[in-house]
Amino acid sequence: MSTTLMRWRSLAWVLPALVLLLVFVYYPIVDNLRLSLFSWNAFSVAPTFVGLDNYRTAFHDPIFWTALWNNTVFAVVSLVFQVGFSLVLAALLEEFVHQRLRGILRTIYFIPAVISITVAGILFSFLYNPEIGLVNRLLGAVGLESWQHSWLGEPSTAMGSIIAMSQWQSIGYTAILFVVGIQRIPKEFHEAAKVDGAGPIRRFFSVTVPMVREMTTLIIILTVSGAFLVFNEVMVMTAGGPSDSSQVLGTWLYRNAFLNDDMGYASAIATVIFVITLAIGAVQIVVSRRRRIQW
Amino acid sequence: MKHTMRSASFAVLATATAVALAACGAPGTANPGAGGASSQSLSAPAEKSGTITMVTKFADPKYAPYFESVTKAYEQANPKVTIKLEQVGDQPYKDKIRVLSASKQLPDIYFSWAGDFANKFVRAGLAADLTSVIGPDTEWGKTFSPAALKAFETKGKNFGVPIDLDAKYLAYNKSAFTKAGISGAPASLEELIGDCDKLRTAGYTPIAFGNQYGWPAIHYITQLNAYNVPPDTLAKDYDPATGAFTDPGYTKAVDQFKDIVTHCSSKDANGVSHEAGQANFLNGKAAMHYLESVEFQALTAKGGAPKQLADNWDFMRLPAPQGAAGDAGALTGAPDGFMVNAQSKNAALAVDVLKFMTTQQNAAKLTADIGWLSPVQGSATSANSFPQLQSALADISKANQFAIWLDTVTNAEVANAYLSGIEGVISGSKTSKDVMTGVQEAAAKAKKQAG
């Protein structure tokens, strides 16, 4: 078979996926960029070209900055818990827990990840309820009445409460991914380190962390870009309130597109989200390629 | 990690929207007047045949069966007609109808709230002018309550068919009032505030209030605005092209709401859902609850309320403040309705379906099946409703005018400024002046957009 024919055959295999990607991913992205240059809504008879006006509006919109800040906080907290804490949790599970108990614990940690976000949101709305919620009751039981809040009802606590719920739901999932990564590390590495006198903490930093770097990179990309794409958690629990204190870029985009009828501005916000997540992904991929470990 | 998967629905929604909208060529271009309802007779077709598409926001299992059964009954009566009924939830409907509108896929019959929500479709040429068939002087129009018809009137023309009547009332537990030494419904807002203090002393939460998504507070503001601002000023300000919101009555309304929260409810209300608040009223912890007449059934034994409350409640309007400058006879509420797509090839058949849906018999069925009041006159009787529902219908007919829900009567920007501001008033982070500054800015933006 000629090389040319082989090439065409290969292309034929990837063509369906390529067409799907072009139609459902790349075309909407490019078209969204075009739409962000117009002032228009679902009822517009005549969309008007406004150039970069929608981006200027975003720049001067305090709620846009609140949303961006909330996404950033979401990303940082998610990194700490879903990457740092999850990796430690996975290492502890693999290092210190008995084989039989390990399976049970993995299942327990993983359960929140399979609960629908709507169910989890409603569940936590009850936990955070200022009158009958478990959180305030527990605080009251240990004499910390002054710490009680209307968790989803105060601008100072609403976003933190949503982020906390999200961490509860995601830690187990990322921990299981790290477990998979840790199990792939050849046992000889740990044994050699033990022979050299390395303790568990030293082995964690000198063997486990470097050897799961690729998994870590993948989880960082997914966690950070996920934090900038967050939508459901906020929509279910506060819809961006109170007083827009828990708006994130996704909900602010939604509010402008489908409630304020400002599709052009919503398209501009969508472009900002795309640029942020693209940049995060690109940086991560470049950094991880440089530091790849092969064995 | 999981975020990505959990955000999939958002991504899909955004992508689908972009694709759907992109399919329009130019974004969101409506095409009014290209054939369709605007250029065809709306009187009953000689031969009833064809397919009608219909989208409602009544996906709730409590309500959906009624619309399914009525459309099926129409199909049985007219075998050559197929009705493709699609029912979605309240919130998703707002997205769906906009996407359908922008992608020129609007169904023949679609749901609409009264006010600016309906007017968006009218302004875009997407709502058929139904004056010739449902105007107040027509045979069909005369079967409706005039106030309900008027809610879907724009510049003297009728664009909507009212399907239900809804009004906001303060339900109260008669036993709680007796225990607190209150002889009956307060005559003024000031009296209500005093009664709240008595109820608190008696160990009750005076008014159950959950404002997790912001709209319950907006209903208070709707009523208080109507009480405090002269009707002409209110009408001018609620119109996006002329809104200014500078009348001092608006600030007064927010201050009165703040008083209600302070004396009758709790600053924690933003963290409690409307339903959780209602539960406090149902289980006797709270003495009052501000709710819609479409929710009355939940307070009856049939609706699952405890007997102690079901046998012991009555309702009143939110009392007006003394000497208020607005209309003390205005009542917060509105009919919901259906509109006919101006581009529909089957507009006459669509009108016929809506006529069938609002016959005396089907209107009575609406009340009997799901406990809603129908705008069709004489549809609520002792045979198909409970006493409070009949009293509500009598009270609605006495109202000077409907104060249509603030979040649908006015421009969305203004509604959102109110929504956000009032949440701040409840939690104590904003003053009435802050709220009105935000509302005035939003009104100025809306005015600019309206040209």
Side-chain angles (χ1 to χ4, degrees), chain B residues 222-281:
Chain B
T222 306
Q223 185 65 68
L224 293 168
N225 277 355
Y227 284 157
N228 288 285
V229 180
D232 291 350
T233 310
L234 207 60
K236 184 174 75 70
D237 286 331
Y238 284 172
D239 182 343
T242 52
F245 292 87
T246 50
D247 191 284
Y250 292 112
T251 311
K252 219 179 260 183
V254 179
D255 286 334
Q256 287 161 357
F257 173 71
K258 177 75 183 167
D259 279 347
I260 292 171
V261 172
T262 307
H263 291 270
C264 308
S265 178
S266 150
K267 68 176 180 56
D268 292 341
N270 288 331
V272 180
S273 69
H274 175 72
E275 293 73 19
Q278 192 167 93
N280 282 339
F281 179 67

Side-chain angles (χ1 to χ4, degrees), chain A residues 73-233:
Chain A
V73 172
F74 212 118
V76 171
V77 175
S78 296
L79 275 177
V80 171
F81 283 91
Q82 292 173 49
V83 180
F85 187 77
S86 284
L87 180 54
V88 172
L89 189 66
L92 288 173
L93 264 180
E94 289 305 297
E95 179 78 22
F96 296 112
V97 178
H98 187 274
Q99 185 75 32
R100 199 173 294 172
L101 189 60
R102 210 182 283 167
I104 296 167
L105 286 174
R106 270 190 226 147
T107 310
I108 290 170
Y109 294 146
F110 194 74
I111 282 172
V114 294
I115 294 176
S116 135
I117 183 62
T118 311
V119 174
I122 292 167
L123 172 73
F124 270 78
S125 292
F126 280 115
L127 291 177
Y128 289 139
N129 184 298
E131 295 155 0
I132 56 165
L134 195 64
V135 177
N136 276 356
R137 294 228 170 162
L138 283 173
L139 289 169
V142 296
L144 292 171
E145 283 85 357
S146 60
W147 288 23
Q148 290 176 337
H149 284 277
S150 173
W151 297 98
L152 297 174
E154 292 173 30
S156 57
T157 56
M159 195 67 220
S161 304
I162 296 168
I163 292 173
M165 185 275 279
S166 186
Q167 303 318 306
W168 168 83
Q169 195 165 35
S170 304
I171 281 172
Y173 188 86
T174 52
I176 298 305
L177 288 176
F178 276 123
V179 164
V180 172
I182 290 169
Q183 285 175 345
R184 286 183 59 229
I185 302 170
K187 282 197 171 57
E188 295 84 347
F189 289 19
H190 277 287
E191 284 162 4
K194 270 184 190 171
V195 170
D196 289 342
I201 293 172
R202 181 63 194 267
R203 274 186 284 119
F204 173 75
F205 283 108
S206 300
V207 178
T208 308
V209 172
M211 299 304 279
V212 294
R213 185 165 288 146
E214 280 193 50
M215 183 61 83
T216 309
T217 303
L218 175 73
I219 294 174
I220 288 174
I221 292 172
L222 293 174
T223 301
V224 177
S225 36
F228 280 94
L229 293 172
V230 70
F231 176 77
N232 297 337
E233 293 88 333

